[in-house]
Amino acid sequence: MKAATHTTHAALHVPLDIFLDIFMNDAQYNNEAEKLLRAIEACCDQINDESDADIDNQRVGGMVTLTFPNRSQIVINQQKPLHEIWMATKLGGYHYRWVEGQWLDTREQSEKREFFQNLSHHATLQAQQTLQFSMPE
C-alpha cells in the first residue's frame, strides 16, 4: 500500500508515492508496461469488431505498431532502461512515465497528458474517425 501523499522523501522533498512510482524497479515497470501494451492490442481488436476503422496492430517484443487504412502509423514501445513508454505519431513523439497509477507524458509541463487520452486523440486524427482507447477496468 502506498503512503499518503503528504509524506515526503526527505532528500528530494517530493511526495513519497510519486517518489516510489518514479523509482519503480524493473519488475514493476515490466508488469505495468506489459499491461499497457496488452490493453492497446485489446482496444484495437474491440475497435475493429465495433467499427470500420480497420486498424492493423502488430506486436514485436516491447513494441506495438498501429497501421491505419491511410498507411499512417503510431508506434508505441518500451524504453526499459528509462522505465518509460514512448509513442511516435504523425504529429510528434511523446514519452510517458508511470506516476500515481497512470502513464503520464514527461514533457508536458503545463498539462500532463495521460497515455490513453493522447493515444485516442492521435488515433482519431490518423484514422479520421473517433476512436477511444482505454485501460480495461
Side-chain angles (χ1 to χ4, degrees):
M1 177 150 57
K2 292 183 181 179
T5 55
H6 66 277
T7 304
T8 62
H9 182 276
L12 300 177
H13 303 289
V14 297
L16 188 57
D17 56 346
I18 293 174
F19 175 81
L20 293 174
D21 283 338
I22 291 172
F23 296 101
M24 66 186 350
N25 66 37
D26 289 344
Q28 291 167 320
Y29 167 79
N30 289 333
N31 183 49
E32 295 303 330
E34 183 61 28
K35 285 183 200 174
L36 178 97
L37 296 178
R38 286 186 181 176
I40 294 165
E41 292 175 297
C43 285
C44 286
D45 292 343
Q46 183 176 356
I47 288 168
N48 287 338
D49 288 346
E50 297 174 358
S51 74
D52 63 351
D54 194 28
I55 304 168
D56 177 40
N57 70 87
Q58 190 168 46
R59 172 128 181 224
V60 178
M63 180 173 69
V64 175
T65 302
L66 310 181
T67 304
F68 299 91
N70 61 8
R71 299 197 180 270
S72 68
Q73 295 184 326
I74 294 177
V75 178
I76 299 111
N77 66 310
Q78 294 178 354
Q79 293 296 315
K80 289 183 179 185
L82 301 173
H83 287 182
E84 293 183 353
I85 296 290
W86 289 5
M87 178 169 58
T89 73
K90 211 168 138 177
L91 297 179
Y94 304 88
H95 299 180
Y96 297 88
R97 185 170 290 134
W98 184 253
V99 178
E100 296 184 335
Q102 59 185 340
W103 291 98
L104 296 179
D105 188 342
T106 62
R107 295 182 180 184
E108 287 289 332
Q109 296 304 316
S110 61
E111 178 184 317
K112 291 278 187 191
R113 297 221 39 198
E114 190 272 332
F115 176 84
F116 285 104
Q117 175 188 6
N118 210 13
L119 175 58
S120 296
H121 171 75
H122 286 282
T124 293
L125 292 175
Q126 290 182 222
Q128 300 172 337
Q129 63 178 294
T130 302
L131 301 178
Q132 184 64 46
F133 287 79
S134 62
M135 184 64 87
E137 299 285 324

